[in-house]
Amino acid sequence: MTIVDLQTDSHALRTPFPHLQHCAYLDTAAVGLPWQGLGSAVGHFYGGVLSQGFDARPQWLEKTQKVRARMAGLLCASPADVTFVSSTTEGLNLAAHSINWQPGNRIVLAADEFPSVARAWAPAVRAGAEVVAVEVGVEQDREDILIAALAASTRVLAVSQTHWSTGTSLNLARLGARCRAQGVLLLVDGTQALGAVPTDLSGVDIYAAAFFKRMLSGFGLGVLVTSPQARAAMSPAFLGYANMEDPRQLQYAHVNIPAIYGLDATLDYFDGMGWPTVFRRVSQLGDHLVAGAARRGLDLLTPAGAQAGNFAFRCADAEAVRARLAARGISVAARAGCIRVSPHFYNIPSEIDQCLDALCETIPRP
């Protein structure tokens, strides 16, 4: 499939997203556009409650188990390791509150991590652990810098699979192998990458992600995956009816069943397109953006070879530039001194070109 095919074969993929008729939406890293079938899928749950009440509960449980197995397959994990939470932040905090901390333990993370990754460690600090925030001076060295910071006392390495601001993506297989070799738990916030690139959690111990970005499934539901090694190092911090039978289970209450219905339908939608098609379109649109940025002399921060659909351009007054692009009908984000552009499979090359041309005209030049 060539980049020309991305332009000519995209009509059917764009039809379920009417907002694309009104603007060049390149901000999926903030919120993905919900597809037209999501609302009716969630409504199907409420229709069942209306007609059957609690008698529909077996259907809810069956649907939840089905979606659990589907997510396990997508993430190369075991269904026994997968549970559902309300958000990435809840999943990260459940894990941080449940790990059996010891005085002198270290949590290593980048100093510019997303706040939910950086702020989850209060229970560890109270237990005598130390949070080591590592400065990343050179973006393409982010992964090496984090690995170099691991020490004998390191208990957890906490990373974002794709960085919220710079767009840099990490090699989870490499990080997982190093962490396993040193007895470190690898914790991953996968929200920015899930649905953009294939994700294999075979080397990851704790993984949390939400579905409102590239998974196009709205708010109120996230996934938490914990390896057997991680659960062996935990005592669930919160207890309820949902973890009575499994003393290592972190989920303690019911999940968002309406959102489960929506996610199941969204997975059907993605399966209909084919995940290889989704991943290929994201990759090829990214290649088109990188090549176009180079031709225009734009200052792209995101390193080559470490990209997963999010791209950051250095910008002295990012919020002002974002507002100017919004006035032109181009949706992007301002993040930490950068303009972040995040196309998804429903975008086309001409929208990226429109954005790059506007950046050339609006980003202050030295």
Side-chain angles (χ1 to χ4, degrees), residues 26-27 29 162-169 192 196-197 214 281-291 293 299-314 332-335 338-344 352 355-356 359:
L26 297 166
D27 198 15
T162 297
H163 194 270
W164 66 287
S165 177
T166 69
T168 304
S169 291
Q192 292 289 355
V197 292
R214 296 183 182 277
R281 286 182 67 91
V282 172
S283 175
Q284 292 181 336
L285 286 166
D287 291 343
H288 184 81
L289 183 149
V290 170
D299 190 3
L300 181 62
L301 175 62
T302 312
Q307 299 160 346
N310 294 359
F311 300 88
F313 294 91
R314 293 182 181 88
V332 296
R335 294 290 186 273
C338 296
I339 289 292
R340 187 184 66 193
V341 181
S342 52
H344 204 17
I352 292 173
C355 177
L356 296 178
L359 288 174

Side-chain angles (χ1 to χ4, degrees), residues 309 315 348:
C315 182
I348 52 178

Side-chain angles (χ1 to χ4, degrees), residues 218-266:
F219 296 94
L221 185 68
V223 65
L224 175 63
V225 184
T226 53
S227 70
Q229 297 96 316
R231 293 196 299 278
M234 294 178 174
S235 299
F238 304 103
L239 301 176
Y241 74 89
N243 54 6
M244 288 178 64
E245 297 180 0
D246 184 352
R248 296 293 183 185
Q249 175 58 263
L250 299 190
Q251 182 186 325
Y252 58 95
H254 64 268
V255 302
N256 185 342
I257 302 297
I260 288 284
Y261 273 65
L263 178 58
D264 188 43
T266 301

Side-chain angles (χ1 to χ4, degrees), residues 16-92:
F17 306 96
H19 189 52
L20 295 174
Q21 301 174 21
H22 307 290
C23 75
Y25 190 80
L26 297 166
D27 198 15
T28 295
V31 177
L33 297 177
W35 61 288
Q36 285 179 324
L38 180 62
S40 61
V42 174
H44 185 70
F45 163 80
Y46 288 107
V49 174
L50 180 66
S51 61
Q52 301 177 66
F54 191 67
D55 293 336
R57 182 173 182 266
Q59 300 169 30
W60 310 341
L61 297 178
E62 180 182 1
K63 181 74 74 172
T64 301
Q65 295 291 47
K66 174 189 175 186
V67 176
R68 176 176 285 115
R70 297 185 78 174
M71 287 306 305
L74 183 63
L75 296 171
C76 303
S78 167
D81 299 340
V82 176
T83 190
F84 295 104
V85 289
S86 66
S87 65
T88 307
T89 300
E90 184 191 22
L92 295 172

Side-chain angles (χ1 to χ4, degrees), residues 211-223:
F211 299 110
F212 66 88
K213 297 183 186 289
R214 296 183 182 277
M215 293 296 290
L216 314 182
S217 287
F219 296 94
L221 185 68
V223 65

